[in-house]
Amino acid sequence: KAGVTQTPRYLIKTRGQQVTLSCSPISGHRSVSWYQQTPGQGLQFLFEYFSETQRNKGNFPGRFSGRQFSNSRSEMNVSTLELGDSALYLCASSLPDSGANVLTFGAGSRLTVL
Amino acid sequence: AQSVTQPDIHITVSEGASLELRCNYSYGATPYLFWYVQSPGQGLQLLLKYFSGDTLVQGIKGFEAEFKRSQSSFNLRKPSVHWSDAAEYFCAVGALQAGTALIFGKGTTLSVSS
């Protein structure tokens, strides 16, 4: 069974640009969550999607957005990039019907903003 | 406020020695607790979880953790550390309901000396 796949694994952008990150969940998993990991702030929750609907959102500015497709794949977008957006962005999927909020994480997309 | 505290930023243990990583949490609802491990350049791998029942839970790779409600703690232990255990360890707390955010500690980096 394939794990959570995130693309691209590494990318470099400049300030003011935008970026789109992709996440393919484990087959059968319908919930996808996104987290930002930085050395200073640690792991912080961005948002969670289920059945193409955002169910929960963390405390991030509106420049951070996401969506989920009918096949459960998810993308997140960051517009008008700032230096502080440099981070590892982790996607995780889970089986919401399992009665347990157990996340399986991908390897992450490492974004560097210059 | 909801939070997770991992008091030890960095721990060095000799190979073959025992290990205990500390985790304290503050959470308003019934806490569901997790330990994840992250190797360099990788995502997070679930070591173990506690939802209810026996307060001593067993995980993968020989790890165990004990939930102590009175102390708001969920410490991770391993009787004999292997060099391959060197990594960063994260404690997290969340609700059982799918889609809710996990709150992570800042992590403890484990180094293993020979």
Side-chain angles (χ1 to χ4, degrees):
Chain A
K1 199 173 191 180
V4 178
T5 303
Q6 293 189 243
T7 57
R9 288 292 312 277
Y10 302 91
L11 66 166
I12 299 173
K13 295 286 187 179
T14 57
R15 280 181 297 175
Q17 287 187 311
Q18 73 166 13
V19 66
T20 298
L21 309 177
S22 178
C23 173
S24 293
I26 291 172
S27 178
H29 285 196
R30 295 187 293 153
S31 168
V32 174
S33 301
W34 289 90
Y35 287 78
Q36 181 196 63
Q37 184 178 23
T38 59
Q41 298 299 315
L43 283 147
Q44 295 184 287
F45 173 75
L46 281 157
F47 26 65
E48 187 264 354
Y49 287 87
F50 173 70
S51 291
E52 303 177 63
T53 300
Q54 185 182 90
R55 291 195 299 188
N56 201 1
K57 187 178 189 305
N59 188 26
F60 278 82
R63 300 185 297 106
F64 291 81
S65 63
R67 59 178 174 168
Q68 186 181 35
F69 302 94
S70 58
N71 61 359
S72 295
R73 190 177 70 84
S74 176
E75 289 181 348
M76 67 163 284
N77 182 277
V78 188
S79 63
T80 318
L81 284 166
E82 301 176 0
L83 295 178
D85 297 333
S86 294
L88 181 66
Y89 290 89
L90 292 164
C91 167
S93 70
S94 67
L95 274 168
D97 300 335
S98 68
N101 188 20
V102 180
L103 304 181
T104 301
F105 284 85
S109 292
R110 182 165 296 281
L111 170 65
T112 301
V113 182
L114 302 177
Chain B
Q2 300 175 122
S3 65
V4 175
T5 300
Q6 294 180 246
D8 303 306
I9 296 173
H10 189 194
I11 284 182
T12 299
V13 175
S14 299
E15 190 168 16
S18 63
L19 169 70
E20 182 169 28
L21 301 182
R22 296 181 291 165
C23 171
N24 293 94
Y25 67 90
S26 173
Y27 199 69
T30 301
Y32 294 94
L33 295 149
F34 307 83
W35 275 98
Y36 284 88
V37 61
Q38 185 178 36
S39 298
Q42 299 299 314
L44 302 174
Q45 181 183 21
L46 179 67
L47 285 175
L48 46 78
K49 60 186 182 293
Y50 173 77
F51 289 155
S52 64
D54 191 347
T55 56
L56 184 64
V57 293
Q58 303 296 320
I60 62 171
K61 304 185 180 187
F63 286 93
E64 66 178 26
E66 186 172 13
F67 171 62
K68 293 185 177 180
R69 186 183 300 276
S70 62
Q71 298 177 20
S72 297
S73 70
F74 189 56
N75 294 349
L76 181 71
R77 301 195 294 249
K78 187 170 184 179
S80 178
V81 168
H82 187 262
W83 64 266
S84 60
D85 293 325
E88 191 161 19
Y89 292 79
F90 294 91
C91 180
V93 66
L96 182 63
Q97 181 184 1
T100 56
L102 289 186
I103 299 167
F104 285 86
K106 291 293 179 71
T108 297
T109 300
L110 172 66
S111 297
V112 180
S113 61
S114 57

